[in-house]
Amino acid sequence: MTTTLGIDFGTSGARAIAIDPEGNILATSRRPLHQPDQPQEWAATLRALTLDIPSAIRQQIQRIAIDATSGTVFLCDAQGQPCSPVLLYNDDRAQAHVQTLRQILAADHLVLSATSSLAKLLWLQSHYPSASAVLVHQADWLAFLLHGQLGISDWHNALKLGYDAAKEAYPDWLNHPMLAPLRPLLPKVVPPGTVLGKVTATDLGLSPECQVCAGTTDSIAAFLASGASEVGEAVTSLGSTLVLKLLSASRVEDLATGIYSHRLGDRWLVGGASNCGAAILAQFFSPEELERLSAQIDVHQPTGLDYYPLLKRGERFPINDPHLEPRLEPRPDDPRLFLQGLLESLSRIEAQGYRQLQRLGASPLKRVWTAGGGARNRAWLALRQQYLGVPVAVAPHTEAAYGAARLAQGTTPLGYNCC
């Protein structure tokens, strides 16, 4: 086991966490991002984050891994200089190019979205043609700044390029005449956590023996931070929406409801997301009211209220119905009962989500770790334990940067540290 540094780049900020071989946090650093689509700011922030780590700890770091937002891509020239604008994870300007992909692929393929990396690559290639260009994801390019090797990505970032992690290869349909011009632009893909080489950046105060590993996406890094490592363990993020991720022995795909799997070593991380979540609580209660009323809830006295607490019409998972209407009646006069009814309903939807993943072929649920702001609500935690019927606990670590540090250490379900 080794001392490692994990670095996480989000849309509004970036964070670095150094951990020792036992997983204890040695140092942290956080920096804001004012222009999330500007590589020059990313580079300056990467440097600042690293230099923020005390020099004595920097010298001990043996491996580094970086996670960043999934689907944030751009083109670089042969020297690694950006030669196109950055298309952020939610940029959908490639709508017209999805129609090209529809002529080649099945109707429910994962890349058939204007925000997929492959659709964005079609747009970039048509607007910024270059014989020497290569596509990079945000995490790829940041790692390149450290190890100096251009054109390397990982399973997770490359998923929406069409990369098949099960076969560890790009699919044959990328040889279609309409897509063949993209092949020279595609990065080499390796397992997340693979050691790519030693740090070549000499001005960061790192040991010359420090190695840089292939990274991952921010959502996968957050899962890895939890410490979940056994088949049947899951992480629920109780943020504005409910996001479920279950470690499974088998791969599950149901793209109509947004369910797909990322490969983790010889296992699969199956994910689904409901439109319901803690945002509905903020609609009706202040943080102070939530804290006060939650403390008064008797979780052993169910309300009998049956809500489907959507903010607006439409749901994808666990029910696939774009016309599903919010159900928030009847509303009792007692706000404590109303809050309990909402928490019961959210717990019921979460349990239904995990049952849906298992009906589609995922491994049986054994334990749920909890992340996100809602994890602090003890009444909600107790209600979820009742509905899920398995142990439920707050994840000891939830920061994506911590997960990236674990990835570099090889203490995740991936376990890759290949030279």
Side-chain angles (χ1 to χ4, degrees):
M1 297 254 283
T2 55
T3 297
T4 57
L5 180 67
I7 300 174
D8 164 60
F9 270 71
T11 52
S12 60
R15 187 168 188 189
I17 296 179
I19 64 174
D20 69 12
E22 287 71 45
N24 300 307
I25 295 175
L26 299 175
T28 67
S29 173
R30 189 187 297 273
R31 292 275 177 160
L33 284 172
H34 304 291
Q35 296 176 295
D37 62 348
Q38 295 300 313
Q40 294 83 358
E41 186 183 7
W42 304 347
T45 302
L46 175 64
R47 174 180 168 80
L49 285 170
T50 307
L51 292 175
D52 284 345
I53 303 298
S55 176
I57 295 174
R58 258 183 289 146
Q59 282 292 316
Q60 298 173 33
I61 293 168
Q62 294 163 281
R63 288 187 180 139
I64 299 173
I66 301 174
D67 75 82
T69 53
S70 172
T72 294
V73 297
F74 58 104
L75 296 177
C76 280
D77 64 21
Q79 287 71 48
Q81 293 299 311
C83 57
S84 80
V86 171
L87 304 191
L88 292 174
Y89 67 97
N90 58 352
D91 192 304
D92 64 355
R93 72 184 74 183
Q95 294 281 356
H97 296 279
V98 176
Q99 302 312 312
T100 300
L101 296 172
R102 289 191 189 281
Q103 297 176 50
I104 302 167
L105 298 169
D108 61 350
H109 199 284
L110 185 63
V111 302
L112 292 177
S113 163
T115 60
S116 77
S117 301
L118 190 62
K120 289 172 181 169
L121 177 55
L122 280 167
W123 187 93
L124 287 166
Q125 191 265 345
S126 66
H127 288 78
Y128 297 90
S130 170
S132 62
V134 63
L135 181 84
V136 293
H137 299 85
Q138 185 179 28
D140 307 341
W141 189 74
L142 289 164
F144 155 75
L145 296 181
L146 297 180
H147 60 61
Q149 301 175 64
L150 191 63
I152 304 176
S153 191
D154 63 85
W155 289 346
H156 300 156
N157 277 293
L159 180 69
K160 292 186 181 179
L161 271 179
Y163 186 81
D164 188 337
K167 296 179 179 178
E168 298 191 43
Y170 284 107
D172 290 339
W173 51 257
L174 275 169
N175 294 319
H176 188 283
M178 287 193 289
L179 300 180
L182 303 182
R183 291 302 298 245
L185 308 179
L186 295 173
K188 174 186 174 183
V189 182
V190 299
T194 300
V195 172
L196 301 177
K198 294 179 181 178
V199 169
T200 57
T202 58
D203 59 346
L204 297 176
L206 294 163
S207 164
E209 299 304 310
C210 180
Q211 298 172 314
V212 183
C213 302
T216 184
T217 65
D218 50 355
S219 63
I220 301 294
F223 175 87
L224 298 177
S226 72
S229 60
E230 299 297 325
V231 166
E233 286 191 284
V235 173
T236 297
S237 295
L238 301 178
S240 299
T241 60
L242 294 176
V243 180
L244 282 53
K245 293 184 182 297
L246 170 64
L247 192 58
S248 173
S250 53
R251 185 179 190 173
V252 172
E253 307 282 348
D254 185 30
L255 300 178
T257 56
I259 298 169
Y260 56 89
S261 300
H262 277 285
R263 184 175 172 184
L264 295 186
D266 59 356
R267 307 168 206 175
W268 297 91
L269 186 60
V270 182
S274 169
N275 291 337
C276 296
I280 197 72
L281 305 179
Q283 179 96 344
F284 294 103
F285 303 97
S286 69
E288 294 74 23
E289 288 172 325
L290 278 173
E291 185 175 358
R292 175 174 56 81
L293 295 171
S294 295
Q296 300 171 18
I297 289 175
D298 183 354
V299 298
H300 302 294
Q301 293 291 326
T303 64
L305 296 166
D306 182 22
Y307 299 142
Y308 206 97
L310 292 161
L311 280 177
K312 60 182 181 180
R313 183 174 69 173
E315 176 68 302
R316 291 186 69 187
F317 174 83
I319 298 170
N320 182 22
D321 182 356
H323 306 294
L324 186 67
E325 294 285 351
R327 190 169 66 246
L328 293 164
E329 299 291 340
R331 180 171 175 176
D333 294 332
D334 185 342
R336 176 185 59 84
L337 290 178
F338 181 49
L339 174 59
Q340 183 174 344
L342 291 173
L343 295 177
E344 289 171 346
S345 299
L346 290 169
S347 302
R348 188 181 307 116
I349 290 165
E350 180 186 358
Q352 186 179 349
Y354 281 117
R355 287 196 298 271
Q356 176 74 339
L357 294 180
Q358 290 163 79
R359 276 196 294 269
L360 291 167
S363 297
L365 184 67
K366 294 180 179 178
R367 176 187 294 272
V368 176
W369 297 100
T370 310
R376 296 188 295 270
N377 190 307
R378 293 186 180 182
W380 196 357
L381 200 70
L383 288 167
R384 293 172 56 234
Q385 176 106 29
Q386 291 178 18
Y387 280 90
L388 291 166
V390 298
V392 178
V394 177
H397 298 283
T398 59
E399 289 278 1
Y402 187 91
R406 291 191 71 238
L407 175 63
Q409 214 170 45
T411 54
T412 70
L414 284 149
Y416 281 95
N417 283 127
C418 313
C419 297

